Structures are given as structure tokens and as C-alpha cells.
Amino acid sequence: MFKKLFFLLFLFSLTAAKAQESRSTLSGYLTDSKNGEALIGAKVVISSLNMAAVTNTYGFYSLTVPAGKYKVEFRSPMYPIDTKEIDLTKDVRFNYELGANYQEIQEVVVNAKKGENVNSTKMGQIELQIDQIKTLPAFMGEVDVIKAIQLLPGVSSISEGGQGFYVRGGGPDQNLVLLDEGVVYNAAHLFGFFSVFNSDAVKSVNLIKGGMPANYGGRMSSVLEVNMNEGNNKGFHIKGGIGAISSRFTIEGPLVKNRGSFVISGRRTYIDLIMKAAIPDTSPFAGSSYYFYDVNAKFNYKLSDKDRIFLSGYYGKDVFNFTDRDGGFGADMPWGNGIAALRWNHLFTNKLFMNVTGTFSDYMFKFGSKQDQFRFELASGVRDVGGKVDFSYFPNARHRIKWGADYIYHTFTPTSVSAEADSVVFNTGEAQKLFGHESAIYLMDEFDLNDKIRVNAGLRYSMYQHVGPFTRFIKGDISTPDTAIVYGKGDLLKFYHGLEPRLSFRWLISDQSSFKAGYSYNYQYVHLTSLSAVSLPTDIWFPTTDKAKPQKGWQGSVGYFRNFFNDKYEASVEVYYKGMKNLIEYKEGALPGDNVNDNTDNLLVFGTGRAYGIEFYFKKSVGKLTGWIGYTLAKTERTFPDLNEGKVFAAKYDRRHDLSIVGTYKLNERWTFSTAFIYATGNTLTLPTSWYIQEQNLLYNYGERNSTRMAPYHRLDISATLYSKPTKKHTDPVTNIEVDVKKKFRSNWAFSIYNVYNRANPFFLYVDNDGSFAAGDVKISVKQVSLFPIIPSVTWNFEF
Amino acid sequence: MKKYILPLLFVSTLLLSCTKEVNIDIPGYVKTIVVDGSITTGQPPIVLLSSSQDIFSPTNLQAYIDGFISGAVVTVSNGTNTVTLTEFCTDNLPAGSEAYASSIFGIPEDQLANFHLCAYTSLDPSIWGEVGKTYTLTVTHEGKTYNSVTTIGQPTPLTSLLWTPAPGQDYAKMKGVLSDPPGQYDAYKWELKYLKDPIYTKDFNPFFNDQFFDGLTFDFDVSNPMGYADTSISNQRDFHLGDTVVLKMSKLGKPEYSFFEKKYNQIYSAGNPFATPTNIPSNIDGGAYGVWVGYSPWYDTIICQ
């Protein structure tokens, strides 16, 4: 059935292409004249034909039209519309640098995206330019991509200090986070206060939270695609920022002018230096410290007009040390990601574009402690080596076809423990590693049935093989000894596979409004297991095994999109429903040490989930005042036969109401002000409902899972940015006329206040008890811990 | 002044987090019986019964006292004999049992008579603990019956117990050497007392199992749990020259150990957001909280000299 569908779709595309006689193709790359970087999502429009093409991640476009001469418009978010008359009586390759004749770039003119939200088949998809993100209030002056997307409807953080983000009721593991196509397993620094994305190294951010196209897979909820800068191929530039707790430095320039470039960006916090100064050497806590650093690097080189290669890399690490000399205790906890991606673009014809990518991703977490003579170490991590190939084929203006394949070889180390006391090495079993082959093929076509109806149909077929070496522990009870089954290298334990249909549809009601609908079915072969109430680096990535089945989920959504006043205002309403299967949680009462000499999946239980909601989004993207209002009304639930007595319970990130209001006001060329207000229903949590006594110890019994809710979260942030004058006066020695010339060195001061009205937002609650019954002074109370009160900060940013 | 700015900035950041008491509704309280029972080799079974309390119910001494259950029917069977336990109450204790009663109820000996706190036990030696026997506990209260089974297994002897202070010092921790039997599940509880004391004292968490050292011989530090109460001495966690100390190393079963493992995990993770809420698994059938545990002790005495 599906084979036939594939064949018919492909045949249809080819015949449609064949039928287009007397047609010519305009294709090429669009780049930014400032720095030679590819322009992503720029538009090439022939208004007289009502036809358009959009550049892909590499700036490539292809548009096939009836032969003739046309006025072609080139639109990008950075510049006004640029129009060229092009003779398309034959195929034309037209690489073009936008903005070459445009001097003043202070005002961001958002015109390439005009009407995009109404016209495209994209649902639940939002693109953010880093320039937009940089205008938002920043926590401690550190501009953050993840914090910015958490201001969008349908996206939320679990709390301050929580890692990751939650999209439409899905877990943090259900987001595919890609940095230049390399998978990021942990996108958080400092327990989620900062993300791993250095804003100086990032070019654009694309979030897909529904209607996932078939070229993406492996996660159920969303795709966050972060594209790094390519580096300026015109000249060398330096930029950086000095903030209260961290500083950044970036250098970029040409490898060979106009052919290749590089960018290297680094960032480091100096909390450890502050701690060193704060904690005297005589203190038992001397030596305790925390810091993180990360480095982004990217190189690209144009081999020929048809070939280009990119090499991207990221390496970042958090290091936490704690020392208590009085207690004879010491602990260190490093964690971090290493990511590399090598890509090759090749243009077979002016209609067929190929990208081949090789990726490497490594995430590790370690914990080591020493108490007197006892030493303990725990490590976990995941390493991926993979590759993918994607073809984009543009047979005519009505079809945009993509197909490809991808493959990842996973190596998971859920828990590796070692312990020793003096010379005695304890038996903690062999480090368990799990191996898996994940692969997929896909085909998709975005096509226009007529001027009103556009369809994006795709099919993805994904596979997962759990292979050896592997030891399956079978735990006996008191009377039955433990046993184990050992599988050799390459032995196939289990093969999972399935079809993932994707469909989205747009009906253009008018040029200012459209109705859209989407459906997607996803398999997910990795899981994130968490023992804690908040999300931490200690959460363990765990693959699909013979016992832990792949997560499966489907999402259906419909939406109405409407623009007003010549696209100055955009509005949308989207309704979604999501069903999820094979979700995992730890068994009641599982402890971290239970992983030792056992398979992690022996400690897991499996269940289902559902999420539904409605999202409202209103955005103003043009003018001095820009910003958006997003509101989500949603519910997400879980059902596990082995948890909560099988009864339905709210997911820990279930939020009924989620409101964000974001505004940026550009007063003049020097001052920009912005504000963000967030309101969200409090998170759920499980607290004890009763206490009892055993051997004079006061113990608790917990009630239904997540049956208690914290107070609502709300916060107002404001910021002001003072830019240095962009120009200086220069007197021409020949004409003696004074003119304004652009300054080479530019800087700005970013002032921000986080949590303006000092709201004590709940981070977590716990039940506390003090005193003893014998003394008659026992007191049980519920305590709320809040993290950040009002925090002013200032950062100085510069570039030249 | 300037050099303090950065430290102050950091310290203020650390102190940014604040904790305050809040009022919150926690629904779902169900009154449940709590069984706290044990049987040890050569000793009678001891069972305390009480009720769980709503999390926001009063927590004064009277509430503690009122929580104990009197009037239940409690029997213990060793497969041969079934004996109904008798209630012994603090206001009418047999002579010589005051110290033990004080230790299990946490009431000073001289105040025991002021309260009516009862434990279920038996003076019939036929039901006292024996190695290799399985004991079935049955509790009937307010029309409901609760059952549990525990076994007193073979004890594991301590290989040696050493006290070796550094030259010139008269205090040190003790070092125990244990050879764990290979290929079987073993869980231990350790307690100590000075020879002259009537009862044993536990450390913070006196339980461990052989998850990491099955079949290994290893040594471990033994701190002095009695020292906490004695502020008259220095180096309270050490043993001193002249001390005569008895170490009691008891074996217990897997489900019983699981109860204590989770119990201490709950106690030590209280208020920790990084810990999962953990209900303590009871080995009592019928929906009761608590534990019925058989202990198989091994004793080792050392004179610090």
C-alpha cells in the first residue's frame, strides 16, 4: 500500500515536471552582502506569476517558470525588497548578494516573511532571527535562545533552574535539538539557567512544534533547529561581550576571500573566580567552585559553483566542585556536550540539490565523591555517530520534493559505577553499554493543488535495531537466584520499525487569511529517565531495548491564520491534540543505586499520555514597537498501570494557562527598550498526605502522583540597550564636505532587570519537620524555595 | 572596599534563593494502621501499633501518644506454635524493662509511668526468636486483618574488630573486617553499646547490603554512635582508651531491608528537589504501613587497650 503511494507520488512529480515544456529555471544562492553568509528563508518572488521560492538552510533556491522576462523580487528580513529584471528564456543561475546597495541597516525591516504565516503550510512553526532574540531582556545579561523560545505559545520551561523545555505537553526528551544538524542531548548550562547556544555564534533559530515534516524524525514533540553563523568571508571581525558572570569572544573572517570563511566563538563564566575570592583558604569549603565554558567553531569553503563544504563543531562543559574538609567530603560533577558536523552541498542540476552530512555527538555526565576512605564514581552518557543525505528537487513552481535517508549508531552508557574503600574495589558490575542502529528513509512533496490549496505530504519509514553486546539481568526473588543472558557483539536483540505519515494542508481563504490542518505520526527510539522532581544533568538517556519499546505519538492540529493592515499584524489560533504511547517512568521507590548490576529498563514502567490545547498568537513585527502576545490553554496527562494505582495523573509540566507578552520599542537609533511578562499555572508535584512513626522516626506517605500544584509563576523583565552612535563625522579632504561615515567599532550597553516586582516564584515545595515528639515541639510545614528575586545586570557588547 | 564587590555579588547570588512557609492544600489523607514489629534471636517479638495522621494534624506529644493503638489482637506463629501477644504498657511495666521501653517509645525512663503507651509482646519463650525459623505476624484491628512473614536467617560473623589509635593518642575509630558470604543476598544492621549499657545505639543509617561487595572481605570504619549524647568528652565519634564496646551485627531479609533502605532514603532526601517522592514499601499485607522484621545478630566485644 505504502510502496504504491511512494511510487505514485514520485511518478506524479516526474510527470508533472516532464509536462512543463517551454519553462526555464532560475536558481542560485542568496547571500548577505555584509558578510557573505547564506540567507536562510529569503524569498525569490515573481509577482506577475504569483510564484515564489524560498531559500533553504544553505541559501539555495530554485524556481521554474514559463520562459520569459520577469521582474524578480529578492526579499530578506534584513533588507528592503531588491528587484532585478531577469531574462528567463533559458535556465539561469543567479547567485546574488542582497543588501549591496543598502547602507542603513539599523532598522530591521521584516518583509521577506510578510504573509508567510498565512501562505505557508507550516503549522506550529516559528522562526526567530538572532537579532530579534538579542533585543529581549536577558537573564544576567546573557542572551539565550532557549529562554526566548520559552516565550512562545505552546513552549514552556518546567521552572527556573529546570533543564530543557516542554512543547505541547511532551517531555524534554521529545524535542530534537539540532546545532547545524548535530544532535544536542543536553542544551543546558548551569542547571538550565543558560543554554549551550552562544548568541554570538548563532544565526537563526527554527522551532517546529507541530506538523513535523518528514525529513525530521526521532523525536515526538518538536524540532529546534539552531543554525550557526558561517563567518564573514569579506573581512575579519571581532565581537564580544563582558557581563556580570560571563564573557564572550568571537572572531570571524575569510579563509579565502569570497570562497570560504570561519568563525570561532568562545564563552566562559567566572563564577569560580568569584567563589575563590569569596571563600577564604581557611574555610572548609575552599576549593568549591563552578564554571562552564563552550566553544563554537565553523569553517566553510566553496569548492566550486556546485560544491560547498561546512565543518561545524561545538564543545562545552560544566564543572562543579564541592569540598567540605571538615566533613572529609569532596565531590566533583562535570558534564557536557561535544558535537561535530561535516556537510557537503552539491548541486546536480539547477533543480536538484543534495546535502550530505556526517555527525558526531557526545554527551557525558560524571559524578565523583570521596568520603573518608570511601570513593565513588558514577558516569553516564550517550555517543552518536551518524550520517544523512537529503535531496531537494524543484521540478516546477508547484512542487518542492525532498527525499533522503539518515542513520545513527548509538552507544548509550546509562550508568557506570565504580566504588572502592582503601585498597578494596567493590564489585559494581561491568559498565553497561547499549548499542543501537537507528535509521530512516523519507519522501515528501509540498505541492500546490491550486492557487488556494497547498499540501505537504510525506512519509517516513524508521527502523531501530537493539544489538549486542548486551547482558540482560533477570532478577530473582528471595528464593530464586539472579540470572543473566549474555548477547555477543552484533547480536540482534530486537528490531522495531514503522511508518510515519506526515500531512499538512493550507487553504488560502484570502490573501490575508488561511486555514491550516496537520497530522504527524512519530516514532522515538530514545528516552530520558528522571528520578528527580526537577530536570537535571543526572537524568539518564536510555535507548529503546528489547524491553523498553519505542515511544510513539501522533499529533493532529488545525489553525486559523489572519494578518491585518498589510501584514503589519499577524494572528493565529491553533488547536492540537497529541496522543503518546510507551512513555517511561521509574518504578515507585526506585533509587539511583538500583541501576548497579541491573538493567535500567528493569526499573522502568511504561504508560501512555495525551495532551491537548489551544494556542493564541498575536504578533506585530513592523514598526518602532514590535512584539507578541502568546496564550496557551492546555492540559497534559499520563496513565501508567504501575503508577498511581493505574489512575490518570497530571504530567509534572502540565500547565493550564501560559501567557507571555513581549514588546520591543525602538525609541531612536541609540535606545531600544524591551519587556517580557510571563504568567503560567504552577507546576504539579507530589507531596505527603500523612505522617507516621516508626522507631521514633517521623515518616511520610505520599498521596496521588502530582496531585498538588504550586502557586502560579509570573514575572516581568525589562531591558534597555544603549547603542553607540553608528556613524561619525568625516570631512572629505578633497571636497571639504562633512559626511557621515559608518563607525568600524560599535558597542552597546545592555541594561536589564529580571523579575522587576521581585516575585518569589516557586522552584519547588517540600514538607519539613523540626523538633521531637518527646520534647513536644514537632512542627510539620510546607516550605517553598524560590530562586531569583529582582536581579539587575549590565553587559557591554562590542564588535569591530 | 572594591575587592569585596565581587564576593558580595556572588554571595548575594547564592543567597538569592529564599525559603518561606506556604499554605497549600494537600488532599488525599486516608487513616492507615502502622505496624512496627521485630523479632530477634533469643528475644521475644515486640510489636507497636499506631495510626497514620493527616499531614496537617497536630504534632504535639499528646498527638503522638494518641496515635498508638491499644486493644488489637496480635499473634505470632513460628509454624509450630501460635501465640497471642500481650499488651505491656508504660504505666505498668515488668521490672527491668524500663530502659528498653524508654528506647522504643523515646520517653525518658523516669517519665514512663506518666503515659499509657503499650507494646505487644510475649513472655512465652516458645515464640522467641530462633535462627532458621519463619515467623508469621497477624494483626486484627477494627475488623481488618494484616499479615506478614519474616525469617531469622544465619548470622554472618564479623572477621575481626580492631581499635588502633595513632601513636600518642588515646582515641580512634574502630575498624571492622567483614567477609561477606558469596552468591547470596545479605543485608546488615549494626548497633553498638558500651558493655555496661542496657541497650544498643544505632548510627544515622545503620543498614547496608552487599550490593557492592558480595563475597568480598573488606574493612570499614566504625564510628561511635553513643558519643553524640556525651558532650563531656572530646572526639565524640571515636572510642577511647578503656572503653569496652559490644558490636551487634544483625542480618535481615531483602524485603525488610528494602523498607529500611527507602526509609532512610526518605529521611535524608527530605526537602531535596532532586529526589523522587518515595513511599516506603511495607512488607505487611492488608494495606498497613510499617515492617515486621526478623534479626539474626552476631556479637563482638572489644576492649580498647
Side-chain angles (χ1 to χ4, degrees), chain A residues 274-275 426-427 531-532 589 591 593 689-691 694 696-697 700-702 773 778-779 782 784 786-787, chain B residues 10 16-18 20-22 27 36 53 55 59 61 103 106 211-212 262-263 265-266 274 276 279 289:
Chain A
I274 300 169
M275 286 176 85
F426 292 138
N427 173 22
L531 270 172
S532 64
L591 299 174
T689 56
S690 63
W691 58 265
Q694 196 271 337
Q696 296 169 53
N697 293 123
Y700 296 124
N701 198 69
Y702 289 84
F773 281 105
V778 171
K779 186 186 177 199
V782 179
Q784 172 185 301
S786 304
L787 286 182
Chain B
F10 169 69
L16 292 178
S17 66
C18 73
K20 65 177 184 181
E21 191 173 332
V22 292
D36 180 7
Q53 308 289 323
I55 194 70
T59 49
L61 183 58
S103 73
Q211 184 181 19
F212 294 132
K262 262 67 173 192
K263 167 186 161 175
N265 184 64
Q266 186 189 91
F274 311 142
T276 189
N279 278 329
Y289 302 154

Side-chain angles (χ1 to χ4, degrees), chain A residues 189 196 293-295 314-318 335-339 364:
Chain A
H189 281 307
V196 298
Y293 64 87
D294 55 29
V295 180
Y314 167 87
Y315 185 78
K317 205 171 190 181
D318 289 58
W335 73 93
N337 295 282
I339 298 157
M364 71 86 197

Side-chain angles (χ1 to χ4, degrees), chain A residues 147-167:
Chain A
K147 289 252 183 308
I149 66 160
Q150 286 168 356
L151 294 170
L152 300 170
V155 186
S156 60
S157 67
I158 192 161
S159 63
E160 282 169 339
Q163 299 209 125
F165 55 98
Y166 306 92
V167 177

Side-chain angles (χ1 to χ4, degrees), chain A residues 123-422:
Chain A
M123 284 196 71
Q125 185 166 162
I126 297 175
E127 291 172 30
L128 288 175
Q129 296 297 318
I130 197 68
D131 292 334
Q132 275 179 286
I133 295 171
K134 282 184 174 176
T135 61
L136 302 176
F139 174 64
M140 289 195 173
E142 193 65 31
V143 173
D144 197 300
V145 167
I146 301 280
K147 289 252 183 308
I149 66 160
Q150 286 168 356
L151 294 170
L152 300 170
V155 186
S156 60
S157 67
I158 192 161
S159 63
E160 282 169 339
Q163 299 209 125
F165 55 98
Y166 306 92
V167 177
R168 290 185 169 175
D173 60 331
Q174 294 176 0
N175 305 314
L176 179 64
V177 181
L178 298 171
L179 180 63
D180 271 1
E181 302 200 30
V183 176
V184 182
Y185 277 93
N186 184 347
H189 281 307
L190 188 52
F191 306 103
F193 293 120
F194 302 105
S195 79
V196 298
F197 304 114
N198 178 349
S199 59
D200 280 350
V202 171
K203 178 155 76 174
S204 66
V205 178
N206 184 28
L207 175 73
I208 304 170
K209 54 186 180 174
M212 198 184 290
N215 55 324
Y216 296 106
R219 299 292 189 279
M220 291 206 302
S221 280
S222 78
V223 179
L224 177 66
E225 199 177 24
V226 179
N227 296 301
M228 276 171 60
N229 283 327
E230 290 164 11
N232 194 317
N233 69 15
K234 308 278 183 188
F236 288 92
H237 289 271
I238 286 173
K239 60 183 168 182
I242 298 171
I245 62 163
S246 69
S247 287
R248 295 168 274 115
F249 183 81
T250 300
I251 182 166
E252 59 182 333
L255 289 169
V256 177
K257 202 167 183 182
N258 293 325
R259 280 190 84 86
S261 59
F262 75 95
V263 58
I264 299 172
S265 191
R267 185 169 58 155
R268 194 192 190 280
T269 59
Y270 20 81
I271 302 171
D272 54 326
L273 303 177
I274 300 169
M275 286 176 85
K276 195 172 180 184
I279 304 172
D281 291 342
T282 51
S283 165
F285 301 110
S288 299
S289 70
Y290 169 81
Y291 63 91
F292 77 73
Y293 64 87
D294 55 29
V295 180
N296 291 73
K298 189 169 177 178
F299 304 85
N300 76 90
Y301 189 76
K302 197 189 290 182
L303 298 169
S304 71
D305 194 36
K306 292 183 173 179
D307 296 278
R308 196 170 177 187
I309 54 169
F310 301 82
L311 177 62
S312 312
Y314 167 87
Y315 185 78
K317 205 171 190 181
D318 289 58
V319 180
F320 174 71
N321 291 302
F322 179 76
T323 303
D324 177 6
R325 285 203 294 252
D326 284 353
F329 180 74
D332 62 288
M333 191 166 78
W335 73 93
N337 295 282
I339 298 157
L342 177 62
R343 291 178 288 177
W344 168 43
N345 289 177
H346 179 69
L347 202 57
F348 286 100
T349 70
N350 52 20
K351 293 180 180 179
L352 183 59
F353 178 90
M354 180 189 74
N355 178 58
V356 180
T357 307
T359 59
F360 170 83
S361 179
D362 183 74
Y363 169 66
M364 71 86 197
F365 165 81
K366 285 183 181 170
F367 175 81
S369 70
K370 186 176 182 302
Q371 175 84 56
D372 299 325
Q373 87 277 27
F374 183 75
R375 288 180 294 279
F376 174 83
E377 279 193 8
L378 180 147
S380 81
V382 52
R383 176 172 291 183
D384 287 355
V385 180
K388 60 187 287 196
V389 56
D390 299 285
F391 292 91
S392 301
Y393 181 56
F394 309 89
N396 54 50
R398 288 197 177 277
H399 285 270
R400 292 154 292 277
I401 300 168
K402 273 189 173 184
W403 69 92
D406 52 62
Y407 166 79
I408 301 172
Y409 180 61
H410 295 288
T411 305
F412 287 85
T413 310
T415 312
S416 164
V417 174
S418 63
E420 57 184 82
D422 287 337

Side-chain angles (χ1 to χ4, degrees), chain B residues 151-291:
Chain B
T151 298
I152 297 181
Q154 290 293 330
T156 295
L158 209 58
T159 306
S160 59
L161 188 60
L162 308 166
W163 181 78
T164 313
Q169 289 186 339
D170 62 353
Y171 59 88
K173 289 186 173 56
M174 285 197 283
K175 202 170 273 290
V177 181
L178 179 68
S179 292
D180 181 73
Q184 66 179 52
Y185 179 87
D186 297 289
Y188 303 86
K189 174 190 182 185
W190 62 279
E191 301 161 278
L192 290 153
K193 72 178 185 100
Y194 295 121
L195 186 63
K196 59 184 169 52
D197 290 345
I199 56 163
Y200 287 88
T201 304
K202 303 189 292 277
D203 210 333
F204 297 117
N205 181 357
F207 296 88
F208 61 93
N209 70 3
D210 65 352
Q211 184 181 19
F212 294 132
F213 52 80
D214 180 39
L216 295 178
T217 296
F218 68 100
D219 54 51
F220 57 97
D221 283 349
V222 179
S223 301
N224 183 352
M226 294 84 77
Y228 275 115
D230 189 354
T231 54
S232 66
I233 55 170
S234 56
N235 307 103
Q236 289 167 274
R237 297 288 280 159
D238 294 318
F239 298 93
H240 294 74
L241 186 68
D243 288 346
T244 302
V245 180
V246 183
L247 175 73
K248 179 182 177 186
M249 183 73 84
S250 303
K251 296 282 289 288
L252 65 156
K254 195 173 185 177
E256 295 88 341
Y257 174 79
S258 180
F259 173 88
F260 290 106
E261 181 189 34
K262 262 67 173 192
K263 167 186 161 175
Y264 284 98
N265 184 64
Q266 186 189 91
I267 289 171
Y268 293 128
S269 65
N272 178 354
F274 311 142
T276 189
T278 304
N279 278 329
I280 302 164
S282 170
N283 69 339
I284 318 284
D285 291 339
Y289 302 154
V291 67

